[in-house]
Amino acid sequence: MFRKIIHDEDGFWSVIFLLLLTTLASLGMATYHATRQSGSNAVNQANVIRSDYAATSGVYYGVRQAMNGRTDTTWTAYDLGIEAEVTNTSIDGSTVEVLATSQVAGTERIIRVEMSLPIDWSRVAIGAGGSVSRFNAYDEDGNKDNSLLQQNAQIPEVDHDALLAMALVQQAATGQTRVYNGGLTIKNKEHFPTPNDFWYAEGVPNVTIIQNGDLRFSNYSVGYGIFIVMEGVVISDVDAELSNLSTVNGVIYSEGDIVSKGSHVFGHDINGAVWAVNDIWATGSPDAGHEVHYVAEYLEAFVDNFVDPGDSTPSIVSWEYL
């Protein structure tokens, strides 16, 4: 009887022992799988961090390139051995999209940044606060280059006092009116002002100011120097029946619009720049030429001496993860 009890107890404890082993085995397996999953999650998280780091580094690289004027270009950037493809795309001349893509072990990160760049106004042959229609910019080699065109831009202010002072000095010295109230029309075949050059003297441009009223160019007329129109518009009013050209060798700055009319208005004979606080546009036949040829020395003389370029600090407009 006593032995039977002992025997039964041995069986009981054997069952308990087996249950305990099974439980411990189950716990061990669960711990193993949890540890393995945790390790996998850690690796995935590390890949996410590395991919994000590479893409962020790529964005910074693209931003630096954009600040150096390099846009519409694709590069491959490397950081800690991780590759990121970086593309800079110019949106409107002063706004650049930087797109950086990196991938680590199948984990992809894409970052899109839109940044605003300060405009180098000494490189703007056509500038408008509103729209530009049927005008094109050309570089000094005669190649069409609308990177020299800015529209819907904040046209910088000019130093009216300095310009007025210079115009009055030239007016007194030459006896030729340089400051107008009521508008100015440069007549048929007239060359204005004198001397017939952008430069009044060495390093000093001719300056003409129209304080109110319009500035008009007639057939075969030629204008020289800097023209400032404070209250009015600039009009090339060529007879639509003729193929005559008016010419400008210098810079026109209008607080209003700049308008070309006729069949061959201005033609390819604007050498310098045209800026308007409002719009620049043209009428006439569809094939009428409206070309502005950039001349660096004219723009630099104007911008360096009479233009307030405003804030020249680049800024990030948006930053998003795609």
Side-chain angles (χ1 to χ4, degrees), residues 227-251:
F227 293 88
I228 305 295
V229 182
M230 298 176 63
E231 294 182 16
V233 298
V234 179
I235 302 176
S236 172
D237 199 9
V238 179
D239 188 332
E241 299 301 318
L242 301 175
S243 296
N244 302 337
L245 304 176
S246 53
T247 305
V248 178
N249 295 309
V251 177

Side-chain angles (χ1 to χ4, degrees), residues 6 14 56 90 122 163 188 284 295 315:
I6 293 175
S14 295
T56 302
S90 177
S122 66
L163 286 160
N188 183 36
V295 179
S315 61

Side-chain angles (χ1 to χ4, degrees), residues 193-213:
T194 54
N196 295 158
D197 196 302
F198 175 81
W199 302 105
Y200 170 80
E202 184 177 353
V204 180
N206 273 306
V207 177
T208 303
I209 296 179
I210 297 87
Q211 293 188 320
N212 57 70

Side-chain angles (χ1 to χ4, degrees), residues 220-303:
Y220 292 120
S221 62
V222 183
Y224 301 93
I226 296 172
F227 293 88
I228 305 295
V229 182
M230 298 176 63
E231 294 182 16
V233 298
V234 179
I235 302 176
S236 172
D237 199 9
V238 179
D239 188 332
E241 299 301 318
L242 301 175
S243 296
N244 302 337
L245 304 176
S246 53
T247 305
V248 178
N249 295 309
V251 177
I252 299 174
Y253 181 99
S254 173
E255 299 279 0
D257 290 356
I258 293 177
V259 184
S260 282
K261 297 180 179 180
S263 59
H264 280 277
V265 285
F266 277 137
H268 60 277
D269 290 327
I270 302 177
N271 303 302
V274 289
W275 293 4
V277 172
N278 295 332
D279 299 322
I280 298 177
W281 51 284
T283 64
S285 61
D287 61 344
H290 308 290
E291 301 178 4
V292 180
H293 288 252
Y294 170 76
V295 179
E297 64 173 324
Y298 297 171
L299 263 295
E300 288 168 3
F302 178 56
V303 172

Side-chain angles (χ1 to χ4, degrees), residues 17-49:
F17 181 70
L18 288 173
L19 289 173
L20 180 61
L21 286 177
T22 302
T23 301
L24 290 174
S26 298
L27 288 173
M29 290 297 293
T31 301
Y32 168 76
H33 286 297
T35 302
R36 186 175 181 182
Q37 184 62 42
S38 177
S40 177
N41 289 341
V43 170
N44 289 338
Q45 185 62 30
N47 288 339
V48 169
I49 293 172

Side-chain angles (χ1 to χ4, degrees), residues 152-167:
N152 301 312
Q154 184 66 45
I155 302 299
E157 295 182 356
V158 295
D159 188 338
H160 287 102
D161 291 341
L163 286 160
L164 180 60
M166 185 171 287

